[in-house]
Amino acid sequence: MGISPSLLLPPPRPLAQVLWQSPGLLPAAIALLAVLVAAVLWLYPPQTRRLPRTWRWAPAALRVMSVAALAVSVVRPAVLRPRTPAQQGTVVVLVDQSHSMSVSDRGRAPADLVALAAGLGALPPEARQEAAPGVARQLDALRARLDRVSRARGEADYARLSGRGVAAAQARLRDAVTTLQESLEAIGPLPPAPAAAARELPQRLAELKQFPPAFDDAAVRSVRAKLAAATAALASAQAAADARLFDTDPQVRAACIGVGRLTRAALAERALAQPGTGLLASLPAGAPVSAFTFDDDLRPLGALRVGDDGAVVASGARSDITGMPREAVRRIRGRAVQAVVLLSDGRQVGGDDQAAAAADLSALGAPLYAVPIAPPGPRRDVSVTAVSSPDVVRAGETFAVRVDFRAAGFVGQSLEVRLDAGDDRQARAVTVGEEAQGSVEFEMTARRAGPARLAATVLPVPGEISDENNRAERWLKVSADPLRVTVLVGADAGRQHASLHDALSRAPWVAVRELDEQEAYRLTPAAIRAQDVVVLCDLPPGALSEPQWDALDRLVRQRGGTVLLLAGAQVPAEYVSHASAWDWLPFDIGDDAPWRTWPGGEPHFRLVPDRADAQAAAQWPRLPPVSRVAPVARLRQEARAVLAERESGEAVMTESARGAGRVIYLGTDEAWRWRGHPGAGDAFWPQLFRRAGAQPYAASEQNLWLDAAELSPEPGRPVKLRARVLASDGAPADAESQLVHVLHRDETIATATLTAAGGGDGNDGRYEGELPGLPAGDYVLRLDAPPDPSAEIPPDPVTLPLRVAPNLAPELADLSGDERLLRRMAESSGGQLVPLEQVALLPRLLAEGRERQAQLVEYPLWDSPWLFGFVLACLSTEWALRKKFGLA
């Protein structure tokens, strides 16, 4: 469908009327003209006697014409001419091309299919007959005249209160009531009604024709109710006739089935561009049209996108339905807008949430006619709305996956939900609750390193509108590198260390090394800097040397590692007085974190997540109570609470920023009480180490590591990249930057430069950068190893697949049309909702809107550039003649 805005101007029309906007100044204008003409006739003849006879009166005539024009402008003349189609304003057409418009709505009733096919011009001529010929037009006219009566009553009430124009207002009300009564009496007659559905119509029309004796507010409401009942009866009769036509006419049935298979986007195209019956073909010649499509943004409608099968493609990931009419009007700024026509299913995704909720287009400046493409009401449909999991895990780690789904129209039915992760498949049966939505949780184990695709599927259910949204995917990064943890244990750690050892020994994704305080000296600074997490489990501060404390500091500040301080006999009491250890505490010198023990040893201190820490709230919502805590009353500026004692609100577990890394303080030695408690004990230590560990790299190859913030970004969205590069001897690479190649079908199409993170040997070979947004497609990121002259075989590069695709989940979450939103938008702008099967009425509605406009355009002449140009031309010509004949 090709559409280009056009402006066809009809031949010039004759003047309709000349106006004098200041007729009171007419005597002054005549006097001024007389004086100026007399002055010209008195002064000019002596000056022009020497001119040739042919030119003698030319200067005087030019001066008289110029002063006459100026004198006439005093009364401010204007011309009224009929509006041309172009002057009546541009018709703005908006076509929704978001992905929800790609749906083909199943389940339309036969009568609905007949009405839709007839409205789109798909039925043979004269195939569909009106159940009651002419009655629909009579009811429409009656509705308009009833509205006129209501307006006239309001004007009469206002005139009576204000005391002005009472007689005229009463006369208009009488005329409106008389016209309404005549319309009521003119309804009918009706043909015989063999169908039971049509027998109600004569009764409703007969009730409608009973005119009330006094036409007050109660009478208006009564007539409106009877009109609504008659309209419903007419619709029922027409539906019965359409159903019979569908059953008895094979040609009609075939045409209806063909229309019913069209997608919403194809229906919109047909409503616009169908030869002879489409909206664009029905607009008056010369009427300017500005047509746009919209999804993520607004684009001129040159040609709708068509797929290989010839179907119209609608693939946008968002649809700002309430914002695009304003944007379209803004785009054609400087031109009058006659009306806006919006073809959409009404499913708002994205845009301003407040504007979408209000749906107020009263400031649009033009009426909006909304054509809902989707059938009204909720649709029976199942959709996967979200797949939630960690962004990154380590090989061998068990993690939770939550699948949220929506099942409109299937309350009480059983659904099968599947989760696929490579060769691992799990399935759950779930019954849809009253809310028509639910969730299923799975536990998956990362088997292999590398990007992993999690695919959640709800098996299709008979009767749903579409099964395209029964599946959703999420990409997960599985790192081959285990979490490197070193635990340094004090002599009095006791049960705290036992519970920690038990949890870490059963975590295959953790590479743990444990040393007691007598063996701490064996830990070299280089080994400390190579860790991800170092745990000081009630370790005396003197057990570490100054080089070891310095290595811990470099681990945290430069490499982004984490140190866990587990409280006990030594922590925090002995750390306060130690020169190297006190700075690791979450409170300042002079403050303290004294131990509190519940009398009798019973556990009564309850630790709850801090309100600002959503991660802690999800991980540890209900921890069992403990009997000993060492809370912190006043935190350092860089520290924040993670867990707090419920009664006092004082922090028991804190997290402090320290350079690129963190320090976590746990102020209780009774975490062993949480073992075996559902959702707390067995999960506490693993969850704490997941929180403490730096995010691993998604891909690794020997001495190369590469990671992307997202493995499946949306088209055009930049992606953060990071890498770590070591030389063949394990030393950090000394290059200032690294180049990442972007491959598409084995060809390099782009590169991204990563710069050193930090500088010097402190950056540990880490690099960071950003990859510019890419179009949709499958790509591979490749980072080459530094050249090694000593190697006979060049080391392999590290590669990371990247899939760029739009996120269509919000568009597919709910495929029901939102007719209420479209109706609110239309009515707030002064327009109305036009059902798709009645789209042929749009040209008439647009014509009625044009008739309500002022039909004449006023062209002021007294201040127009034409007047200025005429006077300037006369004076310039006179001056040229004077120069030519030597009079100047």
Side-chain angles (χ1 to χ4, degrees):
M1 177 182 69
I3 305 171
S4 56
S6 61
L7 182 62
L8 304 177
L9 295 177
R13 301 186 180 187
L15 298 181
Q17 187 177 357
V18 177
L19 296 178
W20 306 100
Q21 295 184 354
S22 300
L25 298 177
L26 185 60
I30 294 174
L32 178 62
L33 179 61
V35 170
L36 293 175
V37 170
V40 170
L41 295 178
W42 177 48
L43 297 174
Y44 269 63
Q47 301 179 32
T48 58
R49 287 192 187 123
R50 291 178 295 164
L51 297 180
R53 185 177 298 274
T54 306
W55 296 97
R56 187 168 299 172
W57 292 101
L62 290 169
R63 181 58 62 96
V64 167
M65 286 190 292
S66 64
V67 299
L70 292 174
V72 171
S73 69
V74 172
V75 292
R76 307 202 319 180
V79 173
L80 292 180
R81 296 181 62 182
R83 285 183 182 269
T84 64
Q87 291 170 332
Q88 289 171 342
T90 301
V91 177
V92 178
V93 178
L94 297 173
V95 184
D96 187 353
Q97 275 203 297
S98 60
H99 199 68
S100 62
M101 292 286 286
S102 67
V103 172
S104 176
D105 291 286
R106 306 170 187 167
R108 293 183 193 263
D112 296 334
L113 287 174
V114 172
L116 181 60
L120 297 179
L123 296 185
E126 308 299 329
R128 185 190 188 224
Q129 302 295 327
E130 292 186 51
V135 172
R137 288 186 293 275
Q138 290 176 332
L139 295 182
D140 287 341
L142 183 60
R143 188 175 294 104
R145 289 170 182 173
L146 187 59
D147 292 340
R148 181 186 169 194
V149 169
S150 297
R151 290 194 299 271
R153 282 187 58 82
E155 293 171 359
D157 291 341
Y158 177 78
R160 186 170 59 256
L161 292 173
S162 62
R164 292 180 295 179
V166 177
Q170 291 289 350
R172 287 194 298 270
L173 176 59
R174 287 193 298 270
D175 291 343
V177 172
T178 301
T179 304
L180 176 62
Q181 186 173 6
E182 293 172 353
S183 299
L184 290 172
E185 294 172 351
I187 293 177
L190 293 176
R199 293 171 190 158
E200 182 186 5
L201 182 59
Q203 177 185 351
R204 297 300 182 189
L205 294 179
E207 294 173 355
L208 184 60
K209 295 178 70 171
Q210 297 173 3
F211 197 79
F215 214 83
D216 52 11
D217 288 337
V220 171
R221 290 193 296 270
S222 175
V223 173
R224 286 195 184 279
K226 294 177 181 178
L227 178 59
T231 302
L234 177 61
S236 178
Q238 187 64 58
D242 291 341
R244 287 196 306 274
L245 179 63
F246 183 89
D247 293 335
T248 58
D249 192 324
Q251 188 176 4
V252 168
R253 184 163 58 252
C256 291
I257 292 174
V259 169
R261 290 174 177 168
L262 295 178
T263 64
R264 296 173 181 177
L267 291 173
E269 179 198 18
R270 184 155 191 160
L272 282 178
Q274 179 72 10
T277 60
L279 171 64
L280 299 177
S282 304
L283 292 175
V289 176
S290 291
F292 300 92
T293 62
F294 69 93
D295 40 47
D296 301 56
D297 55 10
L298 188 70
R299 300 180 300 276
L301 176 60
L304 292 177
R305 288 171 286 181
V306 178
D308 296 336
D309 57 354
V312 178
V313 176
S315 57
R318 294 173 182 82
S319 48
D320 183 9
I321 296 173
T322 57
M324 288 305 171
R326 302 186 188 93
E327 176 63 17
V329 172
R330 188 193 67 79
R331 288 272 186 98
I332 61 171
R333 184 171 52 230
R335 285 183 283 169
V337 177
Q338 177 187 152
V340 178
V341 178
L342 172 64
L343 293 93
S344 171
D345 57 10
R347 183 54 50 193
Q348 171 87 16
V349 177
D352 187 340
D353 293 339
Q354 290 184 343
D360 185 2
L361 296 183
S362 56
L364 188 63
L368 181 139
Y369 297 95
V371 182
I373 304 299
R379 311 295 290 164
R380 287 169 55 86
D381 184 49
V382 176
S383 61
V384 177
T385 56
V387 181
S388 305
S389 73
D391 294 327
V392 58
V393 296
R394 300 175 189 269
E397 184 176 355
T398 299
F399 58 97
V401 181
R402 173 173 169 164
V403 178
D404 296 323
F405 65 88
R406 180 180 175 275
F410 296 98
V411 173
Q413 296 192 31
S414 178
L415 304 178
E416 182 176 337
V417 183
R418 292 179 179 175
L419 181 65
D420 293 282
D423 298 332
D424 189 3
R425 167 176 289 182
Q426 296 186 27
R428 299 278 192 279
V430 60
T431 301
V432 182
E434 293 295 331
E435 299 81 8
Q437 58 187 8
S439 62
V440 182
E441 291 193 357
F442 299 88
E443 275 200 355
M444 308 291 289
T445 300
R447 306 294 182 187
R448 291 186 298 272
R453 181 174 61 182
L454 303 177
T457 306
V458 179
L459 296 189
V461 184
E464 61 176 314
I465 181 175
S466 172
D467 55 14
E468 182 182 356
N469 55 353
N470 287 40
R471 178 183 173 90
E473 295 181 352
R474 176 179 173 84
W475 284 89
L476 177 72
K477 293 183 283 188
V478 181
S479 174
D481 298 330
L483 183 68
R484 292 164 295 184
V485 177
T486 292
V487 181
L488 300 176
V489 185
D492 299 324
R495 287 185 173 182
Q496 188 86 314
H497 172 238
S499 66
L500 173 62
H501 169 80
D502 185 57
L504 293 182
S505 63
R506 291 184 294 161
W509 49 277
V510 177
V512 62
R513 180 184 182 186
E514 297 179 277
L515 299 171
D516 58 32
E517 61 179 275
Q518 287 79 22
E519 298 175 310
Y521 72 92
R522 297 168 51 188
L523 191 63
T524 66
I528 291 176
R529 293 195 298 269
Q531 301 304 299
D532 295 312
V533 180
V534 174
V535 182
L536 305 183
C537 186
D538 196 23
L539 183 75
L544 296 179
S545 64
E546 289 301 320
Q548 288 174 317
W549 281 111
D550 181 65
L552 280 178
D553 186 69
R554 294 180 64 185
L555 164 68
V556 176
R557 292 187 185 276
Q558 297 178 357
R559 283 205 55 240
T562 300
V563 168
L564 284 179
L565 294 179
L566 303 185
Q570 305 294 326
V571 181
E574 298 299 325
Y575 279 54
V576 174
S577 57
H578 192 277
S580 298
W582 72 267
D583 191 41
W584 295 84
L585 296 173
F587 52 86
D588 290 318
I589 296 297
D591 294 331
D592 199 358
W595 281 97
R596 297 180 188 172
T597 304
W598 193 268
E602 292 297 325
H604 281 82
F605 291 117
R606 289 196 172 272
L607 307 187
V608 295
D610 186 84
R611 294 180 180 178
D613 198 320
Q615 183 182 359
Q619 291 176 329
W620 308 302
R622 293 178 301 277
L623 290 173
V626 296
S627 61
R628 275 172 47 88
V629 292
V632 181
R634 292 192 300 178
L635 293 173
R636 279 184 173 181
Q637 183 176 0
E638 66 272 15
R640 62 183 183 87
V642 178
L643 297 176
E645 199 275 310
R646 186 175 62 182
E647 298 300 328
S648 66
E650 295 177 342
V652 175
M653 179 175 170
T654 67
E655 187 174 85
S656 305
R658 190 181 182 93
R662 292 170 293 170
V663 180
I664 296 178
Y665 165 79
L666 178 60
T668 180
D669 57 359
E670 294 192 345
W672 53 269
R673 292 186 182 273
W674 301 334
R675 181 180 179 184
H677 188 274
D682 292 337
F684 175 77
W685 289 116
Q687 288 172 345
L688 179 58
F689 279 94
R690 289 190 188 101
R691 182 187 184 109
Q695 189 178 57
Y697 291 86
S700 62
E701 184 70 36
Q702 295 181 350
N703 289 343
L704 301 176
W705 292 263
L706 181 62
D707 189 28
E710 296 179 84
L711 294 183
S712 183
E714 295 192 48
R717 176 186 293 177
V719 180
K720 296 288 186 182
L721 302 181
R722 64 191 185 109
R724 189 181 180 205
V725 181
L726 302 181
S728 58
D729 59 358
D734 57 1
E736 294 183 357
S737 64
Q738 300 288 339
L739 199 62
V740 175
H741 299 267
V742 183
L743 283 69
H744 180 60
R745 296 177 181 175
D746 297 329
E747 293 186 5
T748 300
I749 62 167
T751 58
T753 301
L754 310 187
T755 58
D761 62 356
N763 70 350
D764 202 32
R766 293 178 293 113
Y767 297 85
E768 297 176 350
E770 185 175 84
L771 175 67
L774 297 170
D778 292 321
Y779 304 88
V780 174
L781 306 181
R782 189 190 73 202
L783 174 63
D784 295 323
D788 184 4
S790 63
E792 296 182 3
I793 300 176
D796 293 331
V798 61
T799 59
L800 180 64
L802 192 72
R803 185 184 186 190
V804 181
N807 179 19
L808 300 176
E811 269 289 324
L812 297 176
D814 185 358
L815 294 178
S816 300
D818 194 345
E819 187 175 293
R820 292 178 298 177
L821 174 65
L822 296 176
R823 186 182 301 277
R824 292 201 309 270
M825 292 170 57
E827 293 177 352
S828 67
S829 69
Q832 67 183 74
L833 190 80
V834 181
L836 181 59
E837 59 270 16
Q838 299 178 20
V839 71
L841 297 177
L842 266 175
R844 187 182 62 128
L845 295 175
L846 295 175
E848 293 174 355
R850 289 192 296 271
E851 292 174 0
R852 289 193 293 269
Q853 295 178 346
Q855 295 302 305
L856 298 177
V857 181
E858 180 179 310
Y859 296 90
L861 301 180
W862 57 275
D863 63 348
S864 71
W866 297 106
L867 174 65
F868 176 78
F870 175 76
V871 173
L872 184 62
C874 291
L875 297 177
S876 299
T877 305
E878 180 192 355
W879 178 82
L881 290 176
R882 287 178 172 275
K883 294 291 289 183
K884 176 178 177 64
F885 295 110
L887 297 179

